[in-house]
Amino acid sequence: MALARTWSVALSGVDGVPVEIEADVGAGTVRTQLLGLPDAALHESKDRVKAAVRNSGHAWPTQRVTLGLSPATLPKNGSGYDLAIACVVLAATRAVPGDRLEGTVLLGELALDGRVRAVRGVLPALLAAKRAGLTEAVVPVDCLPEAALVGGLTLRGASTLTGVLAWLAGEGELAAAPEPAPTRPPDGPDLADVIGQPEARWALEVAAAGGHHLLLTGPPGTGKTMLAQRLAGLLPPLGRDEALGVTAVHSIAGLLTPHAPLVSTPPFVSLHHTTSAAALVGGGSGTAKPGAMSRAHRGVLFLDEAREFGAAKLEALRTALEEGEVRLARRDGIVRYPARFQLVLATNPCPCAPPKDIDCLCPPAARRRYEAKLSGPLLDRVDLRVTMRPLTAMSGAEVAPPEPSAAVRARVHKARTRAAERWSAHGWLTNAEVPGPALRRDHRLPRDVTGILDRALSLGALTGRGADRCLRVAWTLADLAEVDRPTADHVAAALEFRDRRTP
């Protein structure tokens, strides 16, 4: 009887669990048995690995091979275990030494000719391996730039199974991790391109400064989409921890490239109303994959023609807007993906959507039905609501030119810095992340400042959640004004942004 061990990683969402892979080769019926709840792709790895081993100049054992993946009760999925299985079986038969396998994580899919192919989720897998105390890793050479984002591990890149086996035997070296190349953020669209719409531009600045959600309502052609596309360009670059969290999601989704492995700028995800619920929230067979809400983590999720999405998809946003996380329940358990994004909704005021609202031909009942497609509970979670006006002139020669993104970005950065310093003891980065109880208890405003919220609550024009969101917006307005605490004018302006009227 011969036994060998090595390591790989199982992913559940962005969380990884180190998996110990054991190979036992001994007497018995000639067969290869894989234990540990493998999915279909992993179950097929037996045939892939056998062909890769033979085509790499080695013989597959003519005895019973038992492969155990522990923890045995944790579902395993994907083809990323191929390289580890091949190496541990050959180490068990003494075809190659197994000393280097102890404490080493192996990730990679094998082609039938022995090539090592790239797999998804290398970054979160190596982060989990590092937390577990593992010190070395072998990954596909195409994944080395992504793997190099994880410090504290000795990384090696493999292009073929033959090269890995030669390294195990001490007869060759694998590719070393490259030095991270500096990346220049791409130039996005500039806010100077937007003509007019001062109210909407101000709302966009407030949304960027505080991390607030935004609803833009107006006839076609008024610049709703142009404004939404420029929001991500007003946000500051992601911090190191934020960038790794966003990159981990994009790694699992298969969106990373070797030339730009680190997502250092806030992502912008725009969806068409024909998008399915699974594409929005996440899903798929086996372990659920991240959807658009998670791919927009720490960035902007834009829903154009929001009222055309359908109630089921729109209501699916509600939990993520409150908790910053998506939970997908499946047969094998619950998968969690981060989803702390800024939501921007754009919609027409009515089905016919004429350039001027006075020309609307919709019956009152049809207009009410159209407006009701955005439910009260969803709108209650949107901090800023702006009605955009039709353009009346294209020439701007007689007025000052539109302000560029760089000038607005500088003010947003100063406001965000003030907020981050204020909430640093709690770990909150923006005003939108601050829980309502903390605002009301630890940073309570005087009654003469919040009196207008009390009147709105007593009249039923505002909910408790809405009042908390008004307080968050008021703090953002104070940060933009560079004052220490919100005033009554800031609170009134925040309430006005919610399109609520009080006497």
Side-chain angles (χ1 to χ4, degrees):
M1 179 180 293
L3 188 66
R5 299 182 181 86
T6 193
W7 294 88
S8 191
V9 179
L11 290 175
S12 176
V14 291
D15 300 318
V17 178
V19 173
E20 186 180 31
I21 301 179
E22 300 175 288
D24 176 80
V25 179
T29 304
V30 179
R31 61 175 297 191
T32 300
Q33 188 172 12
L34 192 59
L35 309 175
L37 298 182
D39 71 345
L42 179 53
H43 193 75
E44 291 175 352
S45 68
K46 297 183 293 184
D47 297 321
R48 285 195 305 273
V49 170
K50 286 179 185 178
V53 168
R54 287 195 300 266
N55 291 322
S56 299
H58 290 266
W60 189 260
T62 56
Q63 298 171 285
R64 184 184 183 93
V65 177
T66 303
L67 292 159
L69 282 65
S70 179
T73 56
L74 179 70
K76 322 293 189 308
N77 63 84
S79 58
Y81 301 88
D82 289 5
L83 181 60
I85 289 174
C87 292
V88 77
V89 169
L90 292 177
T93 61
R94 304 295 186 261
V96 295
D99 299 341
R100 287 188 168 183
L101 293 178
E102 294 290 339
T104 299
V105 175
L106 292 99
L107 302 171
E109 177 185 326
L110 290 178
L112 299 185
D113 60 359
R115 287 175 292 122
V116 181
R117 290 173 167 159
V119 293
R120 298 181 179 185
V122 168
L123 175 62
L126 293 184
L127 289 172
K130 179 183 176 181
R131 288 193 296 267
L134 299 171
T135 57
E136 297 190 45
V138 177
V139 301
V141 69
D142 291 340
C143 297
L144 267 180
E146 177 186 347
L149 300 175
V150 183
L153 288 176
T154 302
L155 298 173
R156 296 178 175 86
S159 57
T160 64
L161 177 59
T162 302
V164 178
L165 298 178
W167 172 73
L168 290 175
E171 299 172 355
E173 290 297 328
L174 298 175
E179 290 293 328
T183 57
R184 180 178 179 272
D187 294 328
D190 198 285
L191 198 56
D193 300 332
V194 181
I195 300 174
Q197 305 298 349
E199 295 176 359
R201 292 170 65 98
W202 172 236
L204 200 72
E205 182 174 340
V206 175
H212 304 293
H213 307 305
L214 175 64
L215 169 64
L216 301 172
T217 303
T222 53
K224 300 187 295 295
T225 300
M226 290 183 69
L227 283 168
Q229 291 172 340
R230 283 149 180 79
L231 176 56
L234 302 181
L235 304 179
L238 300 176
R240 177 68 179 180
D241 292 340
E242 291 177 294
L244 286 177
V246 174
T247 304
V249 175
H250 286 231
S251 174
I252 295 172
L255 301 176
L256 299 183
T257 64
H259 306 292
L262 181 66
V263 182
S264 58
T265 57
F268 177 81
V269 179
S270 178
L271 298 179
H272 191 263
H273 61 81
T274 58
T275 299
S276 67
L280 176 63
V281 181
S285 60
T287 302
K289 303 300 188 297
M293 288 196 290
S294 297
R295 289 188 281 111
H297 178 55
R298 295 297 179 186
V300 177
L301 178 65
F302 176 48
L303 272 59
D304 201 2
E305 303 298 340
R307 287 189 167 99
E308 305 297 336
F309 271 76
K313 287 176 280 188
L314 291 174
E315 298 307 307
L317 296 165
R318 286 162 51 179
T319 301
L321 292 179
E322 286 292 326
E323 301 179 5
E325 181 182 71
V326 171
R327 293 187 294 274
L328 302 169
R330 293 295 184 269
R331 179 198 63 188
D332 297 328
I334 297 177
V335 176
R336 291 177 168 84
Y337 287 111
R340 191 168 293 283
F341 55 85
Q342 282 186 250
L343 177 66
V344 179
L345 303 172
T347 179
N348 296 324
C350 67
C352 72
K356 293 185 178 180
D357 197 52
I358 196 173
D359 298 327
C360 176
L361 301 177
C362 300
R367 187 160 182 141
R368 286 195 298 271
R369 284 195 301 269
Y370 189 73
E371 292 175 350
K373 289 183 177 181
L374 292 179
S375 69
L378 176 61
L379 287 177
D380 206 31
R381 291 165 167 83
V382 178
D383 307 320
L384 311 172
R385 310 175 197 172
V386 180
T387 300
M388 300 180 64
R389 310 301 177 187
L391 296 179
T392 57
M394 293 299 293
S395 174
E398 69 282 358
V399 296
E403 199 172 23
S405 291
V408 179
R409 190 186 306 118
R411 294 196 296 269
V412 167
H413 177 71
K414 291 177 65 176
R416 284 208 170 208
T417 301
R418 293 175 65 92
E421 291 174 354
R422 180 170 57 249
W423 311 121
S424 59
H426 306 281
W428 304 315
L429 300 176
T430 62
N431 293 322
E433 297 178 28
V434 183
L439 287 175
R440 298 190 300 270
R441 181 182 62 247
D442 303 329
H443 294 79
R444 188 181 184 89
L445 298 178
R447 184 173 293 276
D448 60 336
V449 172
T450 60
I452 190 171
L453 296 183
D454 296 335
R455 291 196 296 274
L457 286 167
S458 65
L459 293 172
L462 193 67
T463 66
R465 180 190 291 114
D468 286 342
R469 291 186 174 275
C470 280
L471 290 175
R472 295 177 184 130
V473 174
W475 278 100
T476 300
L477 294 172
D479 290 333
L480 286 168
E482 300 186 27
V483 297
D484 292 335
R485 295 173 69 82
T487 65
D489 289 340
H490 294 138
V491 176
L495 183 60
E496 185 71 14
F497 266 128
R498 297 185 66 82
D499 198 26
R500 303 293 187 186
R501 297 292 186 266
T502 56

